Amino acid sequence: MTAMQKWVHLPSGWIENEGLKAFQWKVGGSDNTAALMALIAIAHRADQATGLARVTYDDLCTAIDISRAKLSKGLSLLESRKIVERWQNGRSWFRLAGYNPTGGWCKLPAAPLYTGPVIEAFRHFRLRNKVELNAIRLYLLFAARRGRDTNLANISLDKITDYTEIRRHDIKAATSLLAGLSLAYIERVPSNANEFGVANAYRLAGLESGVHMGTIGRRLTAHDYDASAE
C-alpha cells in the first residue's frame, strides 16, 4: 500500500441531508455495513484533487476484511445511492460522487486507522448485527458534524435519531462499540440546556489529537460547543 495521509476529504452533503437513513439493518442487513466500510476504504485511496480512486477488489477486501461477494453487494448499494461512481466503466476505478476539494467535505481519519494494509477496527466486524451498522453510521455522522474549533461532534440523541433513524436506546451500544474499537471517544461538555449540566460530544480518533477536552475544555463555554456543531 502506498503512503497514506493522516486524513482525507469525504463529501459530506449526503450525510448532512440525512442520507444515512438509507442504510437500515431491516432493509439490506449487512450489505449496508459492507457498503459504508467500502466507502471509507475508497475515500482513503482517493486522489485529493479529483476524488478518483484506483483500487482493486482484492485491495478493498483486504483493507476491510470482507469477502468479494459481500464487497460487490456493498459497492452496488453505494452506486445506486449515488455516493460512489464507477469511473469510465473501469472495475478498479471509483469516484466519490459530488467531490469538491474546496468545500462540502469533512475530515475522515485515514493512516492512523491501519495496521499494515487493514483497517484494524474492521477486523472485529462480523457483519451479523445492527450494532456494527449503527456504529459505522454514527462514525460518519460524527465526522460530518465535527466542530473545527472543538474537534468534537456535539450532537444530541434526538438529532442523531433525526439524521440516522437509529432509535435512542440503540445509540449507546453503537457509541460503546466505537469507543471499544478506538474509533471514537465520548467527551463530557457543558450543556447549553442547563447551567450546571453536561452533555455528550464525540471525538474521532486520529484527528487533531492535540485538541481535546484536556487542552481546550476550560476556555470554552456551552455556547462555543453548540456553535461548533452548526
Side-chain angles (χ1 to χ4, degrees):
M1 184 174 64
T2 58
M4 184 177 292
Q5 299 183 61
K6 290 184 177 180
W7 62 267
V8 296
H9 300 85
L10 177 70
S12 57
W14 66 279
I15 300 173
E16 297 283 4
N17 290 321
E18 303 179 4
L20 289 169
K21 288 182 178 179
F23 296 86
Q24 299 285 342
W25 185 260
K26 61 186 177 183
V27 182
S30 62
D31 291 347
N32 289 288
T33 313
L36 295 179
M37 293 166 70
L39 171 64
I40 289 173
I42 290 169
H44 287 165
R45 291 156 176 78
D47 181 89
Q48 295 300 282
T50 65
L52 277 170
R54 185 177 186 182
V55 54
T56 67
Y57 267 47
D58 286 344
D59 288 340
L60 288 175
C61 288
T62 297
I64 60 179
D65 198 23
I66 65 173
S67 69
R68 289 176 66 91
K70 184 61 70 175
L71 173 65
S72 180
K73 291 179 180 179
L75 291 174
S76 294
L77 285 179
L78 293 176
E79 187 175 10
S80 68
R81 292 168 186 169
K82 302 186 186 307
I83 298 171
V84 167
E85 303 167 346
R86 305 273 184 168
W87 191 249
Q88 298 176 342
N89 297 318
R91 187 175 178 84
S92 298
W93 283 96
F94 304 92
R95 185 177 185 274
L96 299 173
Y99 189 85
N100 180 355
T102 66
W105 52 266
C106 61
K107 285 185 176 183
L108 184 70
L113 302 185
Y114 284 77
T115 298
V118 186
I119 297 174
E120 181 61 32
F122 290 166
R123 293 183 190 269
H124 304 278
F125 277 37
R126 296 293 178 262
L127 304 183
R128 294 174 183 166
N129 61 69
K130 68 180 179 181
V131 177
E132 294 172 347
L133 175 58
N134 289 342
I136 200 166
R137 287 199 287 164
L138 290 187
Y139 184 78
L140 293 172
L141 178 62
F142 297 158
R145 300 298 295 168
R146 185 185 69 93
R148 299 176 190 173
D149 295 335
T150 64
N151 196 32
L152 296 170
N154 184 21
I155 183 169
S156 68
L157 296 182
D158 288 338
K159 281 295 184 181
I160 288 175
T161 298
D162 287 345
Y163 276 105
T164 64
E165 292 186 348
I166 297 174
R167 293 179 294 182
R168 286 175 63 103
H169 67 266
D170 288 329
I171 293 173
K172 183 176 180 180
T175 56
S176 295
L177 180 59
L178 290 177
L181 295 176
S182 297
L183 288 173
Y185 305 107
I186 303 172
E187 304 271 16
R188 303 291 280 170
V189 302
S191 171
N192 200 40
N194 185 320
E195 180 181 359
F196 303 104
V198 293
N200 284 343
Y202 308 92
R203 177 169 59 88
L204 299 188
L207 279 185
E208 309 292 345
S209 58
V211 183
H212 52 79
M213 285 300 294
T215 59
I216 65 171
R218 294 182 179 179
R219 62 180 172 83
L220 296 180
T221 67
H223 174 75
D224 293 314
Y225 289 107
D226 282 353
S228 72
E230 292 301 324

